[in-house]
Structure formats: structure tokens, C-alpha cells
Amino acid sequence: MDTSHLVRLLSQDGAVRARLTVVLAGGFCAGIAIAALMFLVAIGPRPDILAAARTPRFLFKVIVTGALAVSAGLLVFRLSRPDPPPGAASWALLAAPLLLVGAGLVELVAMPPASWPTLMIGENAAVCLTVVPLLSIGPLACLLLAMRDGAPANPGAAGAVAGLAASGVAASFYAANCTDDSPLFVLAWYPLAVAVVAAAGFFIGRRALRW
């Protein structure tokens, strides 16, 4: 039996698929729990969280970061198996960046140009670039550990997507602490923090997920 035939047989094994789905779901939930615990112990929500939660800008931050966590998390399930490339499934990853870019353009139109630098720089850029990667450690570790039960066709890409999912979870929690609600701030700094975690996931996954 050649390798390609073996891979096809494994990918068609219903019991293996079911077990892997359970393991990945458990890893994802465990990662969320760890990030939540770290968030509550280390920084916690902003003082005005109840008032902020009723504002469109705050809610938009959570929607964008949540969209990244969900879309990347679903793709993790797909990339953990030695099936053909995910194709259309990967297009879901565009949801978060498209929403963010659209909101940034709206804010540029709505706000006077003199306010743009202040909105973009904000007050918490350094905190964002530090806290999001730190809160991502638990989710990324749990996802990569769970993915070792699978057989990713492209370990590096699978690890990078795990990094996107982990950073989406972390950014969702951090958004509850961050007092910079401007889409321009989110557009400027959140993607940088996400990129750091995705890069870490790529390099770790390339080695840890080989089979």
C-alpha cells in the first residue's frame, strides 16, 4: 500500500474523524478556559465595562475578534486531517479583516482628519502588543497538543491557523480590558499582535505537527 492510499483510507475513517473532532473541541475549550483565567487574574475587565458594552464601538471589537476566533477555529478542525486543501473553508478567515477594514474606512469618513493620529495611536498600543500574545499561550498550546492527534497535510499552515484562532480568543478577552474602542486603533495594533501569534504557531507547528 502506498502512502497516498493510506492517507485516503485514514481520512475516510469515521471513527478517527469523530475522535479527532472531540479532541480538538476539548483542546479549544480548554484553551478558552485558560485564557479566561489568565485574563481575570492578570488584568480583568475595564472599570466601565457595563457602560462600554452598550456602545457600538466596543461591541464591534468583540464581534471582529470573535469572528477571527470562530473562523480560524473551524479551519483548525479542517487542517488537522490529511484531506485535500480546505478550499472555500479558508475564505471565512476574510470575515474579520474585511469587517475591520470597512469600519476603519467608515471612521476615516466620519471623523475629522486631525483626530486620525490620536485615534490610531490610542493609549494602549504597547499593552495590546504584550497582552494578546501572552493570553494566546494557553489556547495555542492546547490547540497544537490536540492537533497532534491528527495528521495535518501542511503542519506549518495548520500551526499558523491555530495561532490565528488562539489570538482571536485572546484578543476577545483583551477587548474587554482595552479602553481604546476606535476601529482605527484596532486596525493598527490588533493585527500586529495576531501576526506575532500566527508566526509562532507556524514555526512551532512546522516541527510539532509533523507526522
Side-chain angles (χ1 to χ4, degrees), residues 49-125:
I49 184 66
L50 294 179
R54 295 192 292 269
T55 63
R57 284 183 170 185
F58 177 88
L59 293 175
F60 177 76
K61 285 196 306 184
V62 178
I63 289 172
V64 168
T65 55
L68 175 62
V70 171
S71 60
L74 292 175
L75 192 55
V76 162
F77 283 69
R78 184 69 176 81
L79 294 180
S80 296
R81 302 194 300 264
D83 295 340
S90 60
W91 288 98
L93 285 178
L94 294 177
L98 288 177
L99 285 171
L100 188 52
V101 170
L105 292 175
V106 170
E107 181 145 275
L108 288 175
V109 172
M111 303 300 292
S115 68
W116 294 352
T118 300
L119 292 171
M120 186 173 293
I121 295 172
E123 299 178 351
N124 300 284

Side-chain angles (χ1 to χ4, degrees), residues 13 15 22 35 46 82 85 92 98-99 104 115 123 132 147 185 190 196 201:
D13 191 322
V22 171
R46 55 196 278 182
L98 288 177
L99 285 171
S115 68
E123 299 178 351
V132 171
M147 293 171 76
F185 176 87
Y190 279 51
V196 169

